[in-house]
Amino acid sequence: MHTSFTIIFLAVFLLLNSFNYVRLRKFTYPSLRLIPIALYVFEIFFLFIQRGMIPNVFGEFRIVLYAIGGISMATSFIMACLLLLHLLILKTTPQNTDLKRRQAIKKFFDLGVIFWLFSSITKGFYNATHLAITKRRVKLKNLKQALHLAMISDAHIGPYLKKDYLRQIVDRINALNPDIVVIVGDLADLRAKLVQEDLAPLKDIQSKHGVYYVLGNHEYYHGATALIEVFKRHHIRVLQNESVQVAGLNLMGVNDLMGYRFKHFEPDFKTPFTQINPNLPSVLLSHQPKSLTHLKQKPDLLLCGHTHAGQIFPFSLLVWLDQKYLYGHYHLKDCQMIVSSGCGFWGPPVRILTKSEIVSIHLEPENQARV
């Protein structure tokens, strides 16, 4: 699987940067064509670090190189989108426009591409690295008393996001004073022995009824068994195809769909429902939104992550095609679903038209009037 990912990664970014190179050759400032070449070099370094081909002994330099590589990925993608739009605009310019006017229009849009590229990357970096609190209200039948959940997903603590960022997340969670904390996968993005120190702030999460976690697809890539043990040492209750009663809820968790591919820690969407109290509302943690299609029986509320809300528009369109549910609070026919954009990022430290978030979920009895 690593080999196929490497080939696809190299091919996609070679294609993007080749297109960017060809278009920039025709710019008012043709020397800009060298930028895609530099970007591709840094993207290759990113891939080497992601695949563990550059050892940790390089320390801070390795982290900086990883960050530059991630930003290069975002830059290549956004540049290609802007240059495609730039091409379409120039193609639709009336042919009977005099040459001097056409040159002025081209120069204007050339500068516009440069401006929007740097603006997008700057704002995208801010969006990715500054946590927002998103509030959701959910009414549940059979809920005896109001509860406050803090939900995070997709922290991706690993090569770039470290202990200090997780500390920020924990501090923001604690400030919410939640009854229950749920972590819906992709918490770690390195092998256990490399990331365990950075996960230390987890033990400081404050919650009246505990912290509950389910596997995401990235834990499988880095050794789910060892990572689960690290999570447990930090007082995290890992829910694996099971249900527990917590504060008047059936709180269920299933392993990620990636388990089918790895033939290890496979999801079981039936067993948790055999363990529930039918007189209590049920909340299911499942990393990927498309797990909904595997559920014969539906919970009252399904909590998911994985999508990053697309992370970089218009890449979000591809994520939507894969997952169907991209981001937000969905009121479906037989259940409700909340999909978080996540509190971290993978690859580029950039978010375009999305945010890094902690979700503050207020559960209320169905018949309770809102104050």
Side-chain angles (χ1 to χ4, degrees):
M1 182 166 57
H2 283 185
T3 302
S4 60
F5 175 85
T6 300
I7 293 171
I8 293 170
F9 181 97
L10 292 173
V12 166
F13 283 101
L14 178 61
L15 183 64
L16 287 174
N17 286 303
S18 297
F19 172 77
N20 293 341
Y21 179 86
V22 170
R23 292 305 308 160
L24 288 173
R25 284 178 60 191
K26 301 178 181 180
F27 254 48
T28 306
Y29 311 101
S31 58
L32 292 174
R33 71 186 187 277
L34 299 177
I35 293 176
I37 298 173
L39 293 176
Y40 195 55
V41 171
F42 284 119
E43 287 154 5
I44 292 172
F45 276 119
F46 173 91
L47 182 66
F48 286 172
I49 296 171
Q50 184 68 28
R51 290 287 167 254
M53 298 168 68
I54 296 180
N56 274 334
V57 293
F58 288 96
E60 291 296 321
F61 176 72
R62 184 176 181 271
I63 296 172
V64 171
L65 199 58
Y66 185 87
I68 295 173
I71 291 174
S72 297
M73 292 165 60
T75 304
S76 294
F77 182 74
I78 296 168
M79 184 187 293
C81 293
L82 290 172
L83 289 174
L84 180 59
L85 182 61
H86 174 272
L87 175 62
L88 293 174
I89 290 172
L90 294 182
K91 288 290 185 183
T92 55
T93 303
Q95 295 299 311
N96 57 359
T97 306
D98 67 83
L99 180 61
K100 188 172 290 187
R101 184 175 175 83
R102 285 178 64 86
Q103 289 175 338
I105 291 172
K106 181 180 182 300
K107 185 172 183 179
F108 174 79
F109 284 109
D110 286 356
L111 293 172
V113 166
I114 298 169
F115 171 79
W116 281 109
L117 178 64
F118 283 99
S119 298
S120 298
I121 295 298
T122 302
K123 183 61 166 66
F125 182 78
Y126 178 88
N127 291 344
T129 54
H130 287 73
L131 287 166
I133 304 295
T134 303
K135 295 182 179 181
R136 307 283 185 192
R137 290 190 177 274
V138 180
K139 289 187 176 291
L140 295 179
K141 63 182 179 180
N142 299 326
L143 186 65
K144 301 297 188 290
Q145 60 182 6
L147 289 171
H148 180 200
L149 274 62
M151 169 188 175
I152 64 169
S153 71
D154 303 280
H156 291 285
I157 303 302
Y160 182 72
L161 294 173
K162 299 290 186 178
K163 181 190 288 187
D164 56 345
Y165 189 73
L166 184 57
R167 170 60 61 194
Q168 291 181 46
I169 295 171
V170 170
D171 289 344
R172 297 293 296 275
I173 289 173
N174 291 343
L176 294 172
N177 192 29
D179 297 310
I180 302 170
V181 174
V182 295
I183 304 173
V184 195
D186 282 4
L187 177 56
D189 215 353
L190 278 176
R191 301 191 72 82
K193 65 180 181 179
L194 299 177
V195 78
Q196 56 188 348
E197 289 187 15
D198 290 317
L199 294 174
L202 289 173
K203 68 180 182 299
D204 297 322
I205 296 177
Q206 297 169 13
S207 170
K208 293 177 184 176
H209 301 288
V211 184
Y212 299 85
Y213 163 86
V214 291
L215 291 170
N217 55 306
H218 278 251
E219 277 81 16
Y220 289 82
Y221 303 148
H222 302 291
T225 302
L227 284 169
I228 287 171
E229 293 306 311
V230 173
F231 300 148
K232 288 179 178 178
R233 288 202 298 271
H234 293 308
H235 316 300
I236 307 296
R237 173 67 188 273
V238 182
L239 296 176
Q240 294 190 272
N241 305 325
E242 59 186 307
S243 176
V244 294
Q245 289 187 30
V246 182
L249 289 177
N250 295 306
L251 187 59
M252 302 182 287
V254 292
N255 292 334
D256 185 61
L257 295 171
M258 188 57 66
Y260 289 137
R261 187 180 300 181
F262 277 77
K263 307 298 181 185
H264 183 54
F265 291 136
E266 295 185 16
D268 179 347
F269 293 96
K270 295 180 180 179
T271 298
F273 287 94
T274 66
Q275 302 170 350
I276 65 173
N277 181 339
N279 297 315
L280 299 177
S282 56
V283 176
L284 175 63
L285 313 181
S286 184
H287 181 61
Q288 298 191 45
K290 67 181 178 183
S291 60
L292 182 67
T293 61
H294 294 260
L295 291 168
K296 298 289 178 61
Q297 186 177 347
K298 302 295 192 298
D300 296 295
L301 176 63
L302 176 60
L303 301 179
C304 304
H306 183 67
T307 66
H308 297 211
Q311 189 164 322
I312 299 176
F313 181 85
F315 185 73
S316 48
L317 299 175
L318 297 178
V319 179
W320 175 76
L321 288 173
D322 178 52
Q323 294 289 329
K324 188 176 180 181
Y325 302 99
L326 184 68
Y327 173 75
H329 185 182
Y330 296 89
H331 297 264
L332 307 176
K333 182 180 179 181
D334 41 12
C335 77
Q336 296 182 65
M337 172 193 286
I338 293 176
V339 182
S340 172
S341 59
C343 59
F345 50 81
W346 185 88
V350 173
R351 284 179 174 269
I352 305 296
L353 298 184
T354 180
K355 60 186 176 181
S356 294
E357 69 174 6
I358 297 170
V359 189
S360 173
I361 305 173
H362 292 269
L363 303 181
E364 302 172 348
E366 193 172 51
N367 57 357
Q368 176 179 302
R370 184 177 295 184
V371 179

